[in-house]
Amino acid sequence: MSVFLVYLLVATATPLFLWPERKKLAIFQIPFILCMWLYVVLYLSFELSTLVHIILGSIFVANVIFAHVAAFLIFKSHVFDKVKKI
């Protein structure tokens, strides 16, 4: 559960880092983040069916992948800017 919460916090912060350069991508991620937080609240509050676990778990995994791709795009742009200056 601790790894889940760490990924949840990292994915939640991702739009903040994307906002200056890729606003549309940051806005696109917000509904997925809300679903991830909903999953946490429902998981801690209620007993969920298998289908709900699969759907919300899939959204969680998709958002973790999205956060990693976004982090790559953030760092890649800074690395390529430094390479272009050389």
Side-chain angles (χ1 to χ4, degrees):
M1 190 70 179
S2 61
V3 173
F4 179 80
L5 289 175
V6 168
Y7 273 123
L8 182 64
L9 294 174
V10 168
T12 301
T14 302
L16 298 174
F17 298 115
L18 284 175
W19 190 257
E21 298 171 356
R22 301 175 194 270
K23 288 179 178 49
K24 290 181 183 177
L25 198 58
I27 292 171
F28 178 72
Q29 189 181 11
I30 292 172
F32 294 100
I33 292 171
L34 293 176
C35 286
M36 287 175 63
W37 280 104
L38 177 68
Y39 183 39
V40 170
V41 170
L42 291 176
Y43 181 78
L44 296 175
S45 303
F46 304 105
E47 186 173 326
L48 303 176
S49 68
T50 304
L51 180 62
V52 173
H53 270 294
I54 290 171
I55 292 171
L56 293 176
S58 300
I59 290 172
F60 173 78
V61 169
N63 202 16
V64 167
I65 293 169
F66 183 80
H68 279 73
V69 169
F72 175 76
L73 291 174
I74 291 167
F75 292 123
K76 179 193 75 135
S77 65
H78 294 295
V79 169
F80 282 141
D81 288 343
K82 289 180 182 179
V83 171
K84 288 178 184 177
K85 290 180 184 178
I86 295 177

